[in-house]
């Protein structure tokens, strides 16, 4: 029986803290928290937000690098009934401004200089009041933003940024907990086929979901997860932090992935689990020290890959024998289907497993919406308690994504066998996943097309051994221009993970006769042919 079914964030966190009070919950840069101590910090975050005027339903953006404060304010906001808006740390100025504004964020909680950007200074560029008496004095491009809170001491010139680097001066009252488990608790932005990202509203059901996902993964109370993937993604928050915490297991959190440090920490912290990107696997295996490292405790993990060769490398060379494969979306509160950790690896490579308890899946003809026979490719539709109620303030996009009876049209092509195992094939929508991040091809096409010498652009995703997928852009030029110049132009408009790997100048795009719609499947075939030619040339 799932002990978290029907519970809110507050109820679930209380249950975790009471069950596992003195067990180690978190390790970060040598500091350690028990579950009781972690709950105290979460409660303090709720109290500080409430003292600032945050109420149930208010939007609180959490925009910071990997660190414990991310967890305290994400969970602290959600347990008091506010809505945590999780922001990708890699976004460009226009991208983060759009997401903060579109989500109606009133309070942004940030860190200072994280080594790759200074969040406070970035916000001050668009909110002039932060250099004076606060966001409300001169909100600039973010008129709904009332407060910016920094968990580090902000730059001295930013007197309008609240400095929460030290504990509150007085003991504050913890606000009443959220009472409605169906109310939104998080907005997570998910790129799709439109140029502007959509904020999926997710409720409190995530604790029920991660408990069931952990059953398939084989998560135990004695496990210790090494987590270095970005906290703004559901791989880290849901499949990482909460998946392990609901069972009283420990998370060893790193600011970022560094191969040598990862290898050291895996041994010193006696880690049994690792969540991975394919590039991380390659980097670890290439370390000279890997050959003598003792990683015998590693047994389970998740990797953002569906490539059988990479799964074999993880199981046989890295030693994570219990690697699981999964399928899910942000809109389904993360994983929807999953294999079992102890199934034969050939079975785990062949599909992404069966739906979790309470989750439904079917494969339909994308044109008619009618179910297709087992083994027949079609669009994957998902249903059940974990489906988002919609995209925040996006009624048109919500109607396009959800059927009247609550099924989510995933836009993904897949099959289901007679036993209910789902296999993802490719994306029907114009998007692809690079380094674990969804990339909207429409957004990239608009950025490339804004170059004065580019008349039109089309982008497709193509498989990549290390990054999952990369972008291949086809451009029709008005005047000759080098591909690197087009990329440099787009770099100011797009986060780095959205930049295409390849740019191919062409005279025209393949189109459907009569409708003149661009045939992206033909472009993908052309991209694969060109890449094969490039590889053959390298081999020669």
């Amino acid at each position: 029986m799932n002990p978290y079914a029907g519970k809110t964030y507050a109820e679930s966190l209380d249950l975790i803290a009471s069950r596992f009070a003195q067990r180690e919950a978190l390790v970060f840069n040598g500091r350690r928290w028990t579950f009781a101590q972690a709950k105290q910090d979460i409660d303090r975050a709720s109290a500080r937000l409430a003292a600032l005027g945050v109420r149930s339903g208010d939007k609180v953006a959490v925009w910071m690098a990997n660190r414990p404060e991310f967890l305290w304010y994400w969970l602290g906001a959600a347990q008091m009934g506010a809505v945590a808006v999780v922001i990708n740390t890699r976004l460009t100025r226009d991208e983060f401004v759009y997401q903060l504004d579109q989500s109606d964020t009133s309070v942004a909680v940030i860190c200072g200089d994280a080594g790759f950007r200074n969040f406070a200074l970035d916000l001050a560029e668009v909110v002039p009041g932060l250099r004076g008496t606060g966001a409300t004095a001169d909100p600039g491009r973010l008129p709904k933003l009332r407060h910016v809170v920094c968990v580090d001491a902000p730059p001295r010139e930013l007197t309008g940024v609240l400095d929460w680097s030290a504990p509150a001066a007085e003991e504050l009252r913890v606000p009443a907990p959220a009472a409605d488990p169906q109310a939104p608790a998080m907005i997570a932005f998910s790129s799709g086929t439109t140029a502007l990202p959509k904020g999926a509203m997710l409720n409190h059901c995530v604790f029920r979901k991660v408990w069931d996902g952990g059953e398939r993964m084989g998560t135990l109370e004695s496990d210790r997860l090494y987590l270095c993937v970005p906290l703004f993604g559901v791989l880290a928050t849901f499949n990482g932090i909460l998946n392990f915490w609901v069972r009283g297991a420990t998370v060893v959190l790193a600011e970022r992935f560094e191969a040598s440090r990862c290898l050291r920490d895996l041994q010193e912290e006696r880690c049994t689990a690792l969540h991975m990107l394919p590039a991380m696997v390659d980097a670890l295996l290439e370390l000279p020290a890997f050959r003598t490292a003792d990683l015998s405790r590693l047994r389970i993990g998740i990797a953002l890959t569906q490539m059988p060769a990479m799964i074999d490398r993880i199981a046989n060379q890295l030693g994570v024998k219990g690697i699981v494969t999964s399928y899910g979306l942000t809109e389904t509160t993360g994983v929807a289907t999953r294999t079992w950790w102890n199934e034969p690896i050939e079975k785990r490579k062949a599909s992404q497993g069966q739906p979790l308890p309470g989750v439904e899946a079917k494969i339909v003809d994308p044109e008619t919406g009618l179910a297709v026979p087992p083994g027949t490719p079609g669009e994957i539709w998902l249903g059940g308690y974990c489906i988002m109620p919609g995209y925040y303030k996006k009624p048109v996009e919500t109607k396009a994504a959800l059927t009247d009876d609550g099924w989510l049209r995933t836009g993904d092509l897949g099959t289901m066998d007679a036993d209910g195992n789902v296999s993802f094939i490719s994306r029907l929508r114009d998007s692809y996943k690079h380094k674990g991040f969804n990339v909207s091809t429409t957004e990239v096409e608009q950025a490339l097309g804004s170059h004065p010498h580019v008349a039109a652009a089309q982008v497709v995703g193509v498989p990549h051994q290390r990054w999952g997928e990369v972008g291949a852009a086809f451009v029709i030029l008005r005047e000759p221009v080098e591909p690197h110049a087009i990329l440099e132009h787009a770099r100011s408009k797009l986060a780095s993970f959205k930049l295409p790997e390849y740019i191919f100048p062409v005279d025209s795009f393949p189109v459907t006769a009569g409708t003149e719609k661009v045939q992206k499947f033909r472009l993908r075939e052309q991209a694969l042919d060109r890449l094969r030619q490039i590889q053959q040339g390298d081999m020669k």
Side-chain angles (χ1 to χ4, degrees), residues 262-306:
C262 176
L263 187 64
R264 182 197 69 205
D265 288 349
L266 286 171
Q267 297 174 89
E268 292 182 356
E269 291 292 340
R270 309 177 312 284
C271 292
T272 62
L274 177 64
H275 288 358
M276 299 156 274
L277 302 178
M280 290 170 49
V281 177
D282 292 338
L284 286 171
L285 294 177
E286 290 166 4
L287 285 175
F290 177 80
R291 291 190 290 273
T292 57
D294 179 10
L295 299 182
S296 58
R297 295 181 181 86
L298 277 180
R299 62 181 198 88
I300 57 174
I302 301 172
L304 288 183
T305 183
Q306 291 165 343

Side-chain angles (χ1 to χ4, degrees), residues 224-229 250-258 261-263 265-266 269 271-275 280 298:
R224 298 175 67 83
L225 169 70
Y226 187 78
L227 188 66
C228 57
V229 295
T250 304
V251 176
V252 179
L253 181 66
E255 295 167 283
R256 65 184 64 86
F257 173 70
E258 296 173 1
R261 177 180 175 181
C262 176
L263 187 64
D265 288 349
L266 286 171
E269 291 292 340
C271 292
T272 62
L274 177 64
H275 288 358
M280 290 170 49
L298 277 180

Side-chain angles (χ1 to χ4, degrees), residues 34 55 69-70 103 139 141 157 203 243 322 350 366 390 403 406 416 456 467 472 512:
T34 64
R55 299 293 180 263
E69 291 89 347
F70 183 107
S103 62
R141 294 176 61 184
E157 68 268 26
N203 65 27
N243 175 13
T403 67
M416 183 188 296
W467 305 125
T512 301

Side-chain angles (χ1 to χ4, degrees), residues 130-161:
L130 297 181
R131 298 184 181 277
T133 56
T136 54
D138 187 351
R141 294 176 61 184
L142 293 171
K144 303 160 197 170
L145 188 63
R146 300 198 310 266
H147 301 286
V148 173
V149 171
C150 192
V151 299
D152 300 312
R156 291 183 179 180
E157 68 268 26
L158 301 187
T159 54
V161 175

Side-chain angles (χ1 to χ4, degrees), residues 468-487:
E469 291 176 287
V470 296
F474 291 83
V475 294
I476 298 175
L477 302 177
R478 293 190 179 94
E479 297 179 28
V481 60
E482 291 296 322
H484 71 84
I486 301 174
L487 276 180

